[in-house]
Amino acid sequence: MRKYFGTDGIRGRANGVITPELALKVGQAAGLVFLRGDHRHRVVIGKDTRLSGYMIETALVAGFTSVGMDVLLLGPMPTPAVAMLTRSMRADIGVMISASHNPFEDNGIKIFGPDGFKLSDEVEREIERLIDSNLQTKLAGSTDLGRAKRIESVHARYIEFAKRTLPRNLTLDGLRVVVDCANGAAYRVAPETLWELGAEVIAIGTEPDGFNINRDVGSTAPEALVSKVRELRADIGIALDGDADRVLVVDEKGQRVDGDQLMAVVARSWQEDQRLSKNGIVATIMSNLGLERYLGGLGLGMVRTAVGDRYVLEHMREHGYNLGGEQSGHIIMSDYATTGDGLVAALQLLSVVQRQQRPVSEVCHCFDPLPQVLKNVRYGAGGEPLRQDAVVTAIEGARQRLGEGGRLVIRPSGTEPVIRVMAEGDDRDLVVRVVDDVVEALRKVAA
């Protein structure tokens, strides 16, 4: 068990869990782990638009400079941009200050190695060990302290990177696109990228004030996007989350398209172009059984991992896949990026739409999802409801009722005290009853 790191970095209530003291120690500990060699070490730091980002950024700068690292401050930038710039700018570490799709009260610290990939469990454990050690004895001497400065050109660099993921002669001319930036990290770069590629762009969620990130906008609250697409009769709606590493699409009819359908579209396109490095993709235990059946019909396999884009990516790297992702919209295309990139995933979909000259509703309806129900149960800190006999009995009974034609997935969230209960199968009524029974057992124990 790790003390500070969860499935996606360190995350929690700003100035509660994520305090200046913790951020300072994270900067010192991570800096010490990556002080390798005699060169001048550097770290790039990006953030989303939360008010607490200023506090955490300042504390991290103090931590990194105190162990002798120079700091390059990127300002508000998507998580995948930070990962890309870590490699591009030859930094030793990349840091993203964000709690992704969480409300503004939360924040987090994501760390990338010099290769742009998220850290392994082993490296995270080493950082945790140092955080809890006496760091005072490991600080740099007075003449070896680091410096910090802001970099202004990073937005243009990321926009050019995103545009280069498309064929040189492909444009988005003729497409009316509504893009929802969740009042988050991509509020500048996403609309500019789409406009430079030729689309008619209507942008919403582009007025961050420190408090409104993900509030009634973005991939976790797509109602505003659906309404705008219908109002303007747009060809497509694109919703990013707070740090723009995931995407949700809305077709011209206002219907939502999740990550499973996006992976199906890209997998088929890449198969036709002989671009798949392996005969299949990597998804998680939450992806719909309908996706697995659809890919099987194409002669493609689907490997499932634990929930979390880091686990998808680890399997992709270990076994040579170049396409994977999550139903939630984390789409990883390792030919281009070292993490999920919502904007790049949307561009890949738009390239298929332009080539096929068909409506998004037709391109993105690859399969009929099996009925799938997901509910969350919140529990008190320190509780272990999944170990209670009543809950164990309810889960075993639910699995027996679903049989081999369905799936039941019970998992604690890695970022908040919530247990997620998901079931799917051909009989929707049965799926609903099964989930409700397990949720009821969990709520009684949690109460």
Short mmCIF file of all heavy atoms in Angstrom, two decimals, residues 37-98:
data_model
loop_
_atom_site.label_atom_id
_atom_site.label_comp_id
_atom_site.label_asym_id
_atom_site.label_seq_id
_atom_site.Cartn_x
_atom_site.Cartn_y
_atom_site.Cartn_z
N GLY A 37 23.45 12.26 -12.35
CA GLY A 37 24.49 12.82 -13.20
C GLY A 37 24.89 14.21 -12.75
O GLY A 37 24.36 14.78 -11.80
N ASP A 38 25.85 14.78 -13.48
CA ASP A 38 26.43 16.07 -13.12
C ASP A 38 25.82 17.24 -13.88
O ASP A 38 26.23 18.39 -13.68
CB ASP A 38 27.95 16.06 -13.36
CG ASP A 38 28.65 15.02 -12.50
OD1 ASP A 38 28.18 14.80 -11.36
OD2 ASP A 38 29.65 14.44 -12.97
N HIS A 39 24.87 16.99 -14.79
CA HIS A 39 24.31 18.08 -15.58
C HIS A 39 23.38 18.94 -14.72
O HIS A 39 23.01 18.58 -13.61
CB HIS A 39 23.53 17.51 -16.78
CG HIS A 39 22.32 16.70 -16.39
ND1 HIS A 39 22.40 15.38 -15.99
CD2 HIS A 39 21.01 17.01 -16.33
CE1 HIS A 39 21.20 14.93 -15.71
NE2 HIS A 39 20.33 15.88 -15.91
N ARG A 40 23.02 20.09 -15.27
CA ARG A 40 22.08 20.98 -14.58
C ARG A 40 20.69 20.40 -14.74
O ARG A 40 20.17 20.29 -15.84
CB ARG A 40 22.15 22.38 -15.20
CG ARG A 40 21.47 23.45 -14.39
CD ARG A 40 22.22 23.79 -13.14
NE ARG A 40 21.42 24.61 -12.24
CZ ARG A 40 21.78 24.90 -11.01
NH1 ARG A 40 22.93 24.44 -10.53
NH2 ARG A 40 21.02 25.65 -10.23
N HIS A 41 20.06 19.98 -13.65
CA HIS A 41 18.77 19.31 -13.71
C HIS A 41 17.63 20.32 -13.81
O HIS A 41 17.71 21.42 -13.28
CB HIS A 41 18.58 18.43 -12.46
CG HIS A 41 19.50 17.25 -12.43
ND1 HIS A 41 20.83 17.34 -12.11
CD2 HIS A 41 19.26 15.94 -12.70
CE1 HIS A 41 21.38 16.14 -12.16
NE2 HIS A 41 20.45 15.28 -12.52
N ARG A 42 16.56 19.89 -14.49
CA ARG A 42 15.42 20.79 -14.65
C ARG A 42 14.11 20.02 -14.56
O ARG A 42 14.02 18.85 -14.89
CB ARG A 42 15.50 21.53 -16.00
CG ARG A 42 15.58 20.62 -17.21
CD ARG A 42 15.31 21.34 -18.51
NE ARG A 42 16.21 22.46 -18.76
CZ ARG A 42 16.17 23.20 -19.86
NH1 ARG A 42 15.29 22.92 -20.82
NH2 ARG A 42 17.02 24.19 -20.03
N VAL A 43 13.08 20.72 -14.13
CA VAL A 43 11.73 20.17 -14.04
C VAL A 43 10.77 21.15 -14.68
O VAL A 43 10.92 22.36 -14.55
CB VAL A 43 11.34 19.91 -12.56
CG1 VAL A 43 11.53 21.14 -11.70
CG2 VAL A 43 9.89 19.42 -12.45
N VAL A 44 9.80 20.62 -15.44
CA VAL A 44 8.74 21.47 -15.98
C VAL A 44 7.48 21.26 -15.15
O VAL A 44 7.17 20.13 -14.76
CB VAL A 44 8.46 21.18 -17.48
CG1 VAL A 44 9.69 21.46 -18.31
CG2 VAL A 44 7.99 19.74 -17.69
N ILE A 45 6.78 22.34 -14.87
CA ILE A 45 5.57 22.27 -14.05
C ILE A 45 4.42 22.96 -14.78
O ILE A 45 4.51 24.13 -15.14
CB ILE A 45 5.77 22.95 -12.67
CG1 ILE A 45 6.90 22.27 -11.90
CG2 ILE A 45 4.47 22.90 -11.87
CD1 ILE A 45 7.16 22.90 -10.53
N GLY A 46 3.36 22.20 -15.02
CA GLY A 46 2.13 22.75 -15.57
C GLY A 46 1.01 22.64 -14.55
O GLY A 46 1.17 21.99 -13.51
N LYS A 47 -0.11 23.25 -14.84
CA LYS A 47 -1.24 23.19 -13.92
C LYS A 47 -2.54 23.42 -14.68
O LYS A 47 -2.53 23.83 -15.85
CB LYS A 47 -1.08 24.24 -12.82
CG LYS A 47 -1.04 25.68 -13.32
CD LYS A 47 -0.86 26.66 -12.16
CE LYS A 47 -0.80 28.10 -12.67
NZ LYS A 47 -0.65 29.08 -11.56
N ASP A 48 -3.65 23.11 -14.00
CA ASP A 48 -4.93 23.48 -14.58
C ASP A 48 -5.34 24.83 -13.99
O ASP A 48 -4.46 25.60 -13.56
CB ASP A 48 -5.99 22.38 -14.39
CG ASP A 48 -6.30 22.08 -12.92
OD1 ASP A 48 -6.08 22.95 -12.06
OD2 ASP A 48 -6.79 20.96 -12.64
N THR A 49 -6.61 25.14 -13.94
CA THR A 49 -7.02 26.50 -13.62
C THR A 49 -7.58 26.67 -12.20
O THR A 49 -8.20 27.68 -11.90
CB THR A 49 -8.09 26.96 -14.62
OG1 THR A 49 -9.19 26.02 -14.59
CG2 THR A 49 -7.52 27.02 -16.03
N ARG A 50 -7.35 25.70 -11.32
CA ARG A 50 -7.87 25.80 -9.95
C ARG A 50 -7.14 26.90 -9.17
O ARG A 50 -5.94 27.09 -9.32
CB ARG A 50 -7.67 24.46 -9.22
CG ARG A 50 -8.49 23.34 -9.79
CD ARG A 50 -8.00 21.99 -9.29
NE ARG A 50 -8.23 21.00 -10.33
CZ ARG A 50 -9.34 20.26 -10.40
NH1 ARG A 50 -10.25 20.36 -9.46
NH2 ARG A 50 -9.50 19.41 -11.40
N LEU A 51 -7.88 27.55 -8.30
CA LEU A 51 -7.30 28.60 -7.47
C LEU A 51 -6.10 28.07 -6.67
O LEU A 51 -5.08 28.76 -6.53
CB LEU A 51 -8.36 29.13 -6.49
CG LEU A 51 -7.91 30.19 -5.49
CD1 LEU A 51 -7.47 31.46 -6.21
CD2 LEU A 51 -9.03 30.49 -4.50
N SER A 52 -6.21 26.85 -6.17
CA SER A 52 -5.14 26.28 -5.34
C SER A 52 -3.88 25.98 -6.12
O SER A 52 -2.84 25.69 -5.53
CB SER A 52 -5.64 25.00 -4.65
OG SER A 52 -6.08 24.05 -5.61
N GLY A 53 -3.94 26.05 -7.44
CA GLY A 53 -2.75 25.78 -8.24
C GLY A 53 -1.62 26.75 -7.94
O GLY A 53 -0.45 26.37 -7.98
N TYR A 54 -1.95 28.00 -7.63
CA TYR A 54 -0.91 28.97 -7.30
C TYR A 54 -0.14 28.54 -6.06
O TYR A 54 1.09 28.59 -6.02
CB TYR A 54 -1.54 30.35 -7.07
CG TYR A 54 -2.17 30.98 -8.29
CD1 TYR A 54 -3.55 30.95 -8.47
CD2 TYR A 54 -1.39 31.62 -9.25
CE1 TYR A 54 -4.14 31.52 -9.59
CE2 TYR A 54 -1.97 32.20 -10.37
CZ TYR A 54 -3.34 32.15 -10.53
OH TYR A 54 -3.92 32.72 -11.65
N MET A 55 -0.88 28.14 -5.04
CA MET A 55 -0.26 27.73 -3.77
C MET A 55 0.63 26.50 -3.97
O MET A 55 1.79 26.47 -3.51
CB MET A 55 -1.36 27.43 -2.76
CG MET A 55 -0.88 26.84 -1.44
SD MET A 55 -2.28 26.29 -0.42
CE MET A 55 -2.73 24.75 -1.27
N ILE A 56 0.10 25.50 -4.66
CA ILE A 56 0.85 24.25 -4.83
C ILE A 56 2.05 24.46 -5.73
O ILE A 56 3.14 23.94 -5.46
CB ILE A 56 -0.09 23.16 -5.38
CG1 ILE A 56 -1.22 22.89 -4.38
CG2 ILE A 56 0.68 21.87 -5.67
CD1 ILE A 56 -2.35 22.07 -4.95
N GLU A 57 1.88 25.25 -6.78
CA GLU A 57 2.98 25.54 -7.69
C GLU A 57 4.14 26.21 -6.95
O GLU A 57 5.31 25.82 -7.10
CB GLU A 57 2.49 26.44 -8.82
CG GLU A 57 3.53 26.85 -9.82
CD GLU A 57 2.97 27.85 -10.83
OE1 GLU A 57 2.60 28.97 -10.41
OE2 GLU A 57 2.91 27.52 -12.02
N THR A 58 3.82 27.20 -6.13
CA THR A 58 4.86 27.91 -5.40
C THR A 58 5.61 26.99 -4.44
O THR A 58 6.84 27.04 -4.33
CB THR A 58 4.24 29.08 -4.62
OG1 THR A 58 3.55 29.94 -5.53
CG2 THR A 58 5.30 29.88 -3.89
N ALA A 59 4.86 26.11 -3.75
CA ALA A 59 5.49 25.18 -2.82
C ALA A 59 6.37 24.17 -3.56
O ALA A 59 7.47 23.83 -3.09
CB ALA A 59 4.42 24.45 -2.01
N LEU A 60 5.91 23.69 -4.71
CA LEU A 60 6.73 22.76 -5.49
C LEU A 60 8.01 23.43 -5.98
O LEU A 60 9.09 22.82 -5.96
CB LEU A 60 5.92 22.24 -6.70
CG LEU A 60 4.89 21.17 -6.42
CD1 LEU A 60 4.00 20.95 -7.65
CD2 LEU A 60 5.56 19.84 -6.04
N VAL A 61 7.90 24.68 -6.42
CA VAL A 61 9.09 25.41 -6.86
C VAL A 61 10.11 25.49 -5.73
O VAL A 61 11.32 25.24 -5.92
CB VAL A 61 8.72 26.82 -7.34
CG1 VAL A 61 9.98 27.67 -7.55
CG2 VAL A 61 7.93 26.75 -8.65
N ALA A 62 9.63 25.80 -4.53
CA ALA A 62 10.54 25.86 -3.38
C ALA A 62 11.20 24.50 -3.13
O ALA A 62 12.40 24.42 -2.84
CB ALA A 62 9.77 26.32 -2.14
N GLY A 63 10.41 23.44 -3.26
CA GLY A 63 10.97 22.11 -3.04
C GLY A 63 12.02 21.72 -4.06
O GLY A 63 13.12 21.28 -3.69
N PHE A 64 11.71 21.92 -5.31
CA PHE A 64 12.66 21.52 -6.36
C PHE A 64 13.93 22.39 -6.33
O PHE A 64 15.04 21.87 -6.47
CB PHE A 64 12.00 21.61 -7.74
CG PHE A 64 11.09 20.46 -8.05
CD1 PHE A 64 9.72 20.65 -8.22
CD2 PHE A 64 11.58 19.17 -8.17
CE1 PHE A 64 8.88 19.59 -8.52
CE2 PHE A 64 10.75 18.10 -8.46
CZ PHE A 64 9.39 18.31 -8.63
N THR A 65 13.76 23.69 -6.19
CA THR A 65 14.95 24.54 -6.18
C THR A 65 15.82 24.28 -4.96
O THR A 65 17.04 24.43 -5.01
CB THR A 65 14.55 26.02 -6.24
OG1 THR A 65 13.65 26.32 -5.18
CG2 THR A 65 13.92 26.37 -7.57
N SER A 66 15.21 23.86 -3.85
CA SER A 66 15.99 23.62 -2.63
C SER A 66 16.90 22.40 -2.72
O SER A 66 17.83 22.26 -1.94
CB SER A 66 15.06 23.47 -1.42
OG SER A 66 14.36 22.24 -1.46
N VAL A 67 16.62 21.51 -3.71
CA VAL A 67 17.52 20.36 -3.91
C VAL A 67 18.37 20.55 -5.15
O VAL A 67 19.05 19.61 -5.60
CB VAL A 67 16.73 19.03 -3.98
CG1 VAL A 67 16.06 18.74 -2.66
CG2 VAL A 67 15.73 19.03 -5.13
N GLY A 68 18.34 21.76 -5.73
CA GLY A 68 19.24 22.07 -6.83
C GLY A 68 18.68 21.92 -8.21
O GLY A 68 19.44 21.91 -9.18
N MET A 69 17.36 21.83 -8.35
CA MET A 69 16.76 21.70 -9.68
C MET A 69 16.26 23.03 -10.18
O MET A 69 15.63 23.81 -9.45
CB MET A 69 15.59 20.71 -9.65
CG MET A 69 15.99 19.26 -9.85
SD MET A 69 14.55 18.28 -10.33
CE MET A 69 15.38 16.82 -10.99
N ASP A 70 16.49 23.31 -11.47
CA ASP A 70 15.89 24.48 -12.11
C ASP A 70 14.44 24.15 -12.48
O ASP A 70 14.12 23.01 -12.84
CB ASP A 70 16.66 24.86 -13.37
CG ASP A 70 18.05 25.38 -13.05
OD1 ASP A 70 18.26 25.88 -11.93
OD2 ASP A 70 18.94 25.26 -13.93
N VAL A 71 13.58 25.15 -12.42
CA VAL A 71 12.15 24.95 -12.67
C VAL A 71 11.71 25.81 -13.84
O VAL A 71 11.99 27.01 -13.90
CB VAL A 71 11.32 25.31 -11.42
CG1 VAL A 71 9.84 25.10 -11.69
CG2 VAL A 71 11.76 24.49 -10.21
N LEU A 72 11.00 25.17 -14.78
CA LEU A 72 10.39 25.87 -15.91
C LEU A 72 8.88 25.82 -15.73
O LEU A 72 8.28 24.74 -15.72
CB LEU A 72 10.77 25.19 -17.23
CG LEU A 72 12.28 25.04 -17.49
CD1 LEU A 72 12.52 24.31 -18.80
CD2 LEU A 72 12.97 26.40 -17.50
N LEU A 73 8.25 26.97 -15.54
CA LEU A 73 6.83 27.05 -15.25
C LEU A 73 6.05 27.25 -16.55
O LEU A 73 6.29 28.20 -17.30
CB LEU A 73 6.55 28.20 -14.28
CG LEU A 73 7.18 28.02 -12.89
CD1 LEU A 73 7.09 29.31 -12.09
CD2 LEU A 73 6.51 26.88 -12.15
N LEU A 74 5.10 26.35 -16.81
CA LEU A 74 4.36 26.35 -18.08
C LEU A 74 3.04 27.09 -17.98
O LEU A 74 2.45 27.43 -19.00
CB LEU A 74 4.09 24.91 -18.54
CG LEU A 74 5.30 23.96 -18.59
CD1 LEU A 74 4.86 22.58 -19.02
CD2 LEU A 74 6.37 24.50 -19.52
N GLY A 75 2.52 27.27 -16.75
CA GLY A 75 1.19 27.85 -16.60
C GLY A 75 0.13 26.81 -16.93
O GLY A 75 0.40 25.61 -17.00
N PRO A 76 -1.13 27.25 -17.16
CA PRO A 76 -2.21 26.30 -17.46
C PRO A 76 -1.96 25.57 -18.78
O PRO A 76 -1.90 26.20 -19.84
CB PRO A 76 -3.46 27.19 -17.55
CG PRO A 76 -3.11 28.40 -16.74
CD PRO A 76 -1.64 28.62 -16.97
N MET A 77 -1.80 24.27 -18.70
CA MET A 77 -1.54 23.42 -19.87
C MET A 77 -2.15 22.05 -19.63
O MET A 77 -2.19 21.57 -18.49
CB MET A 77 -0.03 23.26 -20.10
CG MET A 77 0.65 24.49 -20.63
SD MET A 77 0.19 24.87 -22.34
CE MET A 77 1.03 23.56 -23.24
N PRO A 78 -2.61 21.36 -20.68
CA PRO A 78 -3.14 20.01 -20.52
C PRO A 78 -2.09 19.05 -19.97
O PRO A 78 -0.88 19.21 -20.22
CB PRO A 78 -3.56 19.61 -21.93
CG PRO A 78 -3.79 20.91 -22.64
CD PRO A 78 -2.78 21.86 -22.06
N THR A 79 -2.55 18.05 -19.26
CA THR A 79 -1.63 17.01 -18.76
C THR A 79 -0.80 16.39 -19.89
O THR A 79 0.42 16.25 -19.74
CB THR A 79 -2.42 15.92 -18.02
OG1 THR A 79 -2.88 16.47 -16.77
CG2 THR A 79 -1.56 14.71 -17.73
N PRO A 80 -1.40 15.99 -21.02
CA PRO A 80 -0.57 15.40 -22.08
C PRO A 80 0.46 16.38 -22.64
O PRO A 80 1.52 15.95 -23.12
CB PRO A 80 -1.58 14.98 -23.16
CG PRO A 80 -2.81 15.77 -22.85
CD PRO A 80 -2.83 15.93 -21.38
N ALA A 81 0.16 17.68 -22.59
CA ALA A 81 1.15 18.67 -23.04
C ALA A 81 2.35 18.70 -22.11
O ALA A 81 3.50 18.81 -22.55
CB ALA A 81 0.51 20.05 -23.12
N VAL A 82 2.11 18.58 -20.81
CA VAL A 82 3.21 18.55 -19.85
C VAL A 82 4.08 17.32 -20.09
O VAL A 82 5.31 17.39 -20.08
CB VAL A 82 2.67 18.57 -18.41
CG1 VAL A 82 3.81 18.38 -17.40
CG2 VAL A 82 1.93 19.88 -18.13
N ALA A 83 3.43 16.17 -20.33
CA ALA A 83 4.19 14.95 -20.61
C ALA A 83 5.04 15.11 -21.87
O ALA A 83 6.21 14.72 -21.91
CB ALA A 83 3.24 13.77 -20.76
N MET A 84 4.45 15.69 -22.92
CA MET A 84 5.18 15.90 -24.18
C MET A 84 6.33 16.88 -23.99
O MET A 84 7.45 16.64 -24.46
CB MET A 84 4.20 16.43 -25.24
CG MET A 84 4.81 16.65 -26.62
SD MET A 84 5.58 18.29 -26.85
CE MET A 84 4.13 19.35 -26.88
N LEU A 85 6.08 17.97 -23.26
CA LEU A 85 7.11 18.99 -23.08
C LEU A 85 8.24 18.51 -22.16
O LEU A 85 9.37 18.98 -22.27
CB LEU A 85 6.48 20.26 -22.52
CG LEU A 85 5.59 21.01 -23.53
CD1 LEU A 85 4.71 22.03 -22.83
CD2 LEU A 85 6.45 21.70 -24.59
N THR A 86 7.95 17.57 -21.27
CA THR A 86 9.00 17.00 -20.44
C THR A 86 10.07 16.38 -21.32
O THR A 86 11.27 16.56 -21.10
CB THR A 86 8.42 15.93 -19.49
OG1 THR A 86 7.43 16.55 -18.65
CG2 THR A 86 9.51 15.33 -18.62
N ARG A 87 9.63 15.65 -22.33
CA ARG A 87 10.58 15.04 -23.27
C ARG A 87 11.18 16.08 -24.20
O ARG A 87 12.40 16.13 -24.41
CB ARG A 87 9.89 13.96 -24.10
CG ARG A 87 9.47 12.73 -23.32
CD ARG A 87 8.85 11.70 -24.25
NE ARG A 87 7.66 12.24 -24.90
CZ ARG A 87 7.09 11.71 -25.98
NH1 ARG A 87 7.61 10.64 -26.55
NH2 ARG A 87 6.00 12.24 -26.50
N SER A 88 10.32 16.94 -24.76
CA SER A 88 10.77 17.90 -25.76
C SER A 88 11.80 18.87 -25.19
O SER A 88 12.75 19.26 -25.89
CB SER A 88 9.56 18.67 -26.29
OG SER A 88 9.94 19.70 -27.16
N MET A 89 11.63 19.26 -23.94
CA MET A 89 12.52 20.24 -23.32
C MET A 89 13.64 19.58 -22.52
O MET A 89 14.35 20.24 -21.77
CB MET A 89 11.71 21.19 -22.43
CG MET A 89 10.61 21.91 -23.21
SD MET A 89 9.60 23.04 -22.20
CE MET A 89 10.72 24.43 -22.07
N ARG A 90 13.78 18.28 -22.68
CA ARG A 90 14.85 17.49 -22.05
C ARG A 90 14.88 17.71 -20.54
O ARG A 90 15.94 17.83 -19.93
CB ARG A 90 16.20 17.84 -22.67
CG ARG A 90 16.30 17.47 -24.13
CD ARG A 90 17.66 17.81 -24.71
NE ARG A 90 18.74 17.05 -24.07
CZ ARG A 90 20.03 17.21 -24.34
NH1 ARG A 90 20.39 18.13 -25.22
NH2 ARG A 90 20.94 16.50 -23.72
N ALA A 91 13.69 17.73 -19.94
CA ALA A 91 13.60 17.88 -18.50
C ALA A 91 13.83 16.53 -17.82
O ALA A 91 13.62 15.47 -18.42
CB ALA A 91 12.24 18.44 -18.11
N ASP A 92 14.23 16.57 -16.58
CA ASP A 92 14.42 15.35 -15.80
C ASP A 92 13.13 14.88 -15.16
O ASP A 92 12.96 13.69 -14.86
CB ASP A 92 15.47 15.59 -14.70
CG ASP A 92 16.82 15.96 -15.28
OD1 ASP A 92 17.56 15.04 -15.67
OD2 ASP A 92 17.11 17.17 -15.39
N ILE A 93 12.21 15.81 -14.94
CA ILE A 93 10.90 15.50 -14.38
C ILE A 93 9.86 16.44 -14.99
O ILE A 93 10.16 17.59 -15.32
CB ILE A 93 10.84 15.70 -12.84
CG1 ILE A 93 12.04 15.11 -12.13
CG2 ILE A 93 9.57 15.11 -12.25
CD1 ILE A 93 12.04 15.36 -10.63
N GLY A 94 8.63 15.93 -15.11
CA GLY A 94 7.50 16.78 -15.45
C GLY A 94 6.46 16.65 -14.35
O GLY A 94 6.24 15.56 -13.82
N VAL A 95 5.83 17.76 -13.99
CA VAL A 95 4.82 17.75 -12.94
C VAL A 95 3.56 18.46 -13.46
O VAL A 95 3.65 19.54 -14.04
CB VAL A 95 5.31 18.45 -11.66
CG1 VAL A 95 4.19 18.48 -10.61
CG2 VAL A 95 6.54 17.76 -11.11
N MET A 96 2.41 17.84 -13.23
CA MET A 96 1.13 18.46 -13.54
C MET A 96 0.35 18.63 -12.25
O MET A 96 0.16 17.67 -11.50
CB MET A 96 0.33 17.60 -14.51
CG MET A 96 -1.05 18.16 -14.85
SD MET A 96 -0.91 19.74 -15.75
CE MET A 96 -2.66 20.16 -15.94
N ILE A 97 -0.08 19.85 -11.98
CA ILE A 97 -0.89 20.14 -10.80
C ILE A 97 -2.35 20.13 -11.23
O ILE A 97 -2.83 21.05 -11.90
CB ILE A 97 -0.52 21.51 -10.21
CG1 ILE A 97 0.98 21.57 -9.89
CG2 ILE A 97 -1.35 21.81 -8.96
CD1 ILE A 97 1.48 22.97 -9.57
N SER A 98 -3.05 19.07 -10.89
CA SER A 98 -4.44 18.94 -11.33
C SER A 98 -5.12 17.82 -10.58
O SER A 98 -4.49 16.83 -10.20
CB SER A 98 -4.50 18.65 -12.83
OG SER A 98 -5.84 18.42 -13.24
#
